[in-house]
Amino acid sequence: MKIIAGPASQLLASKVAQQLNTPPTICDYKRFPDGELYTRIRDDSIDDVTIIQSTPTDSDYVALLQLIDACEEAPTINVVIPYMGYARQDKVFNRGEPVSARAIGRTINADRVFTVNIHERSILEHFNADSFDLDASHLIGNHIRSLNLTDPLIISPDVGALELAKSASADIGIPYEQLEKTRHSGESVTIAEKEIDVSGRDLILLDDMIATGGTMAESIRMLKEQGAADIYVACIHPVLARNAVVRLYNAGVKEIISTDTLEKPQSSISVAPLIADTLKSL
C-alpha cells in the first residue's frame, strides 16, 4: 500500500508510513502564477493507496481532491482526513444557508474514508465511500496518565465534549466532571458556576477541538478562582486560531496538549499509531 501525504499532513503521513514499514510516496506541490494549485504524485506504480490529508483550509481541500483524482487508477483508494474543515457547519440555522459539511462530504469519492473524532458523526453519511470515525481519546488518556498529576480530574467544558471526557477517563481511571456553557456568539461564552471539588487538584480540560480558546479561557479563570492547582488543556484538534494560545496562557493554563491531526507546536500526541493499526486491519 502506498502512503500519500497531503500538504497539510506531511509529518503525520510519514509517521504512519514508518509504522507500516513503507516509505511515504513523494509528491510535488506548487502554485501556478494565477494562484492555482498544482499537484503531482511522483510514483507511476499502480497500488492500493492511502491519502492522508487534513483540510483546515480551502486550499488543503482542493489538494485532497486533486490527489484522489490522480489516484483514480489505483485498485483501492483510502482517504484519511484527520481534521475535516467545515465539520462544524453540519446544520442549517438560517434560511438560505447550505449544510457545508454535506456539500464538502459529497465531493469525496473513494473506497473508504476515515476521520478522527469528527465534530459530528452524521457527516460520515455524506461521503461517497464506506466511512469510519477513529477515536483518539485513549491516546489523550495515556498522555494524561504520564503527567504525574496531583489528585487529577478530567473536565468537559460542555455537554458536547462529555463523551470524549468519559472515554479518556475510563481508560486511565481518573474521574471526570462537566461544566455548563452558554454560547452568546462565535467568541462570547459564559461558564456557569458549578459545585466541583477542585481545590488543590490538577485539572485537565478536554474538548474535541480548540478554535479561538474562549470557552477554555473562561473555564480556566473560573476554576482557578475555585482553588484549582495546575490546569492543563487537551484537545484532539488544535485549531488555535488567531490569539488562542496567548488567551489560554493569559488565563493561567499550565500546558496545551493536542494530537497531530493538525501539525502545531502543541501536537505532542501522534494519531499515527491509531491510523496505522486501522490500515493494518483492512
Side-chain angles (χ1 to χ4, degrees):
M1 179 185 292
K2 291 195 295 192
I3 302 297
I4 298 175
S9 300
Q10 298 275 295
L11 181 58
L12 174 57
S14 297
K15 289 179 179 178
V16 171
Q18 188 176 50
Q19 297 245 340
L20 296 174
N21 200 28
T22 184
T25 301
I26 300 295
C27 300
D28 291 332
Y29 302 103
K30 65 179 183 180
R31 289 196 177 274
F32 289 112
D34 63 358
E36 290 182 358
L37 184 66
Y38 170 87
T39 298
R40 180 191 174 201
I41 300 171
R42 293 174 57 184
D43 186 339
D44 294 331
S45 62
I46 299 177
D47 300 300
D48 293 340
V49 301
T50 294
I51 301 165
I52 302 177
Q53 167 73 341
S54 285
T55 57
T57 70
D58 296 343
S59 178
D60 292 318
Y61 170 65
V62 172
L64 175 59
L65 294 182
Q66 289 179 324
L67 288 170
I68 293 171
D69 189 76
C71 294
E72 68 172 353
E73 294 184 6
T76 302
I77 301 175
N78 301 310
V79 173
V80 180
I81 311 175
Y83 170 79
M84 180 184 169
Y86 291 93
R88 288 185 291 176
Q89 297 189 47
D90 61 302
K91 298 179 180 67
V92 172
F93 294 96
N94 299 295
R95 184 177 177 83
E97 290 179 345
V99 180
S100 296
R102 179 178 62 198
I104 296 295
R106 284 174 172 173
T107 66
I108 305 295
N109 295 287
D111 293 284
R112 305 181 191 91
V113 172
F114 300 92
T115 58
V116 178
N117 292 95
I118 195 166
H119 190 70
E120 174 52 59
R121 288 182 61 87
S122 64
I123 296 168
L124 299 177
E125 301 170 7
H126 303 313
F127 294 115
N128 292 312
D130 294 331
S131 305
F132 311 89
D133 189 49
L134 309 182
D135 182 13
S137 62
H138 68 284
L139 299 175
I140 296 280
N142 289 338
H143 186 86
I144 291 171
R145 178 161 41 198
S146 73
L147 294 176
N148 194 28
L149 304 178
T150 300
D151 194 15
L153 177 66
I154 296 173
I155 295 181
S156 163
D158 57 32
V159 67
L162 185 58
E163 286 303 314
L164 183 62
K166 187 185 298 185
S167 179
S169 166
D171 284 335
I172 54 178
I174 292 177
Y176 67 93
E177 279 281 2
Q178 174 205 328
L179 300 178
E180 296 176 7
K181 177 181 75 174
T182 301
R183 180 171 294 280
H184 305 288
S185 68
E187 296 188 20
S188 176
V189 297
T190 55
I191 305 295
E193 293 277 349
K194 191 171 181 181
E195 290 299 321
I196 302 175
D197 179 17
V198 299
S199 182
R201 304 178 74 175
D202 290 337
L203 310 180
I204 307 96
L205 280 162
L206 178 59
D207 208 343
D208 66 330
M209 74 173 68
I210 303 174
T212 63
T215 298
M216 289 296 193
E218 185 69 20
S219 301
I220 291 165
R221 291 190 187 95
M222 184 189 75
L223 294 166
K224 280 287 187 182
E225 290 173 358
Q226 294 179 357
D230 289 337
I231 300 180
Y232 296 77
V233 163
C235 67
I236 307 293
H237 309 297
V239 178
L240 299 173
R242 298 196 292 274
N243 61 354
V245 172
V246 174
R247 291 177 74 176
L248 292 171
Y249 277 99
N250 184 266
V253 74
K254 173 78 171 178
E255 184 182 352
I256 302 170
I257 301 163
S258 73
T259 79
D260 55 357
T261 59
L262 293 168
E263 295 172 1
K264 300 287 182 73
Q266 297 78 18
S267 302
S268 54
I269 304 168
S270 182
V271 296
L274 175 65
I275 296 170
D277 287 347
T278 300
L279 295 176
K280 288 175 184 175
S281 68
L282 296 180

